[in-house]
Amino acid sequence: MEKIVSLCKRRGFIYPGSEIYGGLANTYDYGPMGTELLRNIKNLWWKYFVQKRSDMVGLDASLISHHKIWEASGHVAGFADAMIDCKNCKARMRADHLIENFIETNADVIARSTTIVGDEAISKKILSAVSKSKVEGLSVEELSLLVEKLKIPCPNCEKRNWTPVRKFNLLFPVQLGIVEGEGGMGYLRGETAQGIFINFRNVVDSTRVRLPFGIAQMGKSFRNEITPGNSVFRTIEFEQGEIEYFFDPDNASWNELFEKWKNTMWDFVTRELRVMATNLRWRVHTNEERSFYSERTEDLEYKFPFGFKELWGLAYRTNYDLTQHMNISKKDLTITDPHTGKKILPHVIEPAVGINRLLLMVLVDAYTEEEKRVVLKLHPRIAPYKVAVFPLLANKENLVEKAKEIYDDLKEHFMVVLDDRGNIGKRYLAQDEIGTPWCVTVDFDSLEDDMVTVRDRNTTQQERVPIKNLSNYFHNKLDS
Ligand code: ATP
């Protein structure tokens, strides 16, 4: 992970947020390479889930929203994590993460836990959580008990001097209006999903959608999280790609839809992003951690350097959200079946992914150390630059001019970079580190035969290609 974080900073993918002012915890800025990579992932997601499907439409709701939305959705009352502070070194962390990491790195804890705490003191519920190493759903008292009984030390200073576990709400309130108290209070959205539910009626009334159909939204969400580092895996401001797929439970089986969505998500990660399937797995939520209104929730997890972690959640949320908004806003959110006249308040399946986690995943998956180089084997479709164009020598005007002509032509089609710094070997290494799939070199022969050398990033093989065929050549490669 350290090597990836350092490459990301050095090569312009990800910088710590507000760095020149000492940094702002859990925020990051994307540099020139990261911006391209993020944009490519977002475009691919949108193309796959919206453009190529006739049953999906898009939405772009505002980031600041009415406080009643978040009261109705249950976020104001219940969108909270449990935190704990070390009284000795003042480190603050998520209590669930502290316990889960401890269990994962101390395999004997599971065996020891019944004897340590005694069958009476610890309930079946806690033991089951320990054995699955998932403590979400336990009360703050149960979490405190676990920290105490398992004798968990502070990962920072190794002392065992904890505060009790407390809950904190993740929503960011926003004071609206110029004079405090005048305009009331809103919230920065804690998820993009609620924007979809509150616009459900608008979308139905203004488009030709028919059940089953989905509304997709991609954009920023904000959560006041305590996070343990791990780059952009968990940040207070992040981008989500969420879909609410609406259906009539009398006409469609949620189980079948759920399975279909599982396959679609898997396909996107393995075929569109070309991530190795061996690094992926499904994890079914336990009864304790699943929201009370959800019938089934599964996470697609990726094997990050810090363990298998949630990448993409898939939940059957019934019609809980629409019901809540209908009850509290007093607006009719039902739709009428055009054939039978039946009123339907649709149910939803929700696939929700963090785009920044997709980005971190592809970086981790692509990072390859070879004997003489580090290569980011990103799929060409998402690589920041598709092609780098080099004049063999920077001080030969006719080579530079020809390279510039090729660059000017290719940049109409792809993100391309022109590079004449250092020697060719160094330029190759620099492009390998940012994942550029092809490098084009203009040499003295090019001036005679109008051909250039194209070097493949993964194989380092080179071939001569006529200059006039270059854009077709790369188009074909990108489509394959
Ligand atoms: P986690 O358990 O990791 O906190 P979650 O279950 O709260 O995630 P959801 O509310 O289901 O997450 O959000 C959907 C997706 O949004 C997650 O699968 C994850 O990819 C992404 N996500 C959630 N919180 C963050 C965050 N703080 N930073 C980056 N991505 C996030």
Side-chain angles (χ1 to χ4, degrees), residues 223 225 233-235 238 240 310-313 352-354 357:
R223 295 181 187 179
E225 308 229 32
F233 178 79
R234 187 181 300 284
T235 48
F238 56 101
Q240 289 188 303
E310 171 174 347
L311 177 73
W312 204 327
V353 72
R357 283 194 192 172

Side-chain angles (χ1 to χ4, degrees), residues 62 137 206 221 238 275 365 373 405 471:
S62 62
S206 59
S221 290
F238 56 101
V275 162
D365 219 63
R373 59 178 193 153
E405 269 170 36
S471 91

Side-chain angles (χ1 to χ4, degrees), residues 84-234:
I84 190 164
D85 293 294
C86 171
K87 287 195 216 161
N88 183 51
C89 72
K90 311 287 178 240
R92 171 166 287 176
M93 59 206 83
R94 288 250 310 252
D96 54 341
H97 290 166
L98 171 75
I99 301 170
E100 285 168 9
N101 289 342
F102 182 77
I103 297 170
E104 272 162 25
T105 46
N106 294 273
D108 62 319
V109 162
I110 300 165
R112 273 196 295 142
S113 47
T114 38
T115 49
I116 294 170
V117 294
D119 285 327
E120 312 246 297
I122 199 159
S123 69
K124 239 169 97 186
K125 188 171 145 201
I126 299 183
L127 274 182
S128 138
V130 171
S131 68
K132 291 184 187 114
S133 126
K134 272 284 159 205
V135 295
E136 212 170 317
L138 296 187
S139 68
V140 287
E141 291 76 24
E142 288 164 338
L143 293 172
S144 289
L145 187 72
L146 267 180
V147 174
E148 183 202 326
K149 297 290 186 184
L150 295 178
K151 296 196 171 61
I152 301 180
C154 170
N156 196 34
C157 70
E158 308 207 332
K159 294 272 182 312
R160 293 187 186 86
N161 192 6
W162 297 107
T163 61
V165 175
R166 284 161 297 155
K167 288 259 176 184
F168 66 98
N169 195 287
L170 295 167
L171 285 180
F172 279 107
V174 202
Q175 184 61 51
L176 303 170
I178 302 165
V179 178
E180 206 173 306
E182 192 181 61
M185 210 204 30
Y187 285 106
L188 286 180
R189 66 183 180 198
E191 61 176 21
T192 53
Q194 295 307 321
I196 299 180
F197 294 121
I198 59 152
N199 280 292
F200 174 71
R201 172 94 274 150
N202 283 335
V203 173
V204 168
D205 290 348
S206 59
T207 66
R208 298 169 55 83
V209 289
R210 290 271 178 280
L211 290 176
F213 71 90
I215 302 179
Q217 180 168 212
M218 186 179 281
K220 292 247 165 129
S221 290
F222 304 83
R223 295 181 187 179
N224 203 356
E225 308 229 32
I226 301 172
T227 92
N230 294 334
S231 181
V232 295
F233 178 79
R234 187 181 300 284

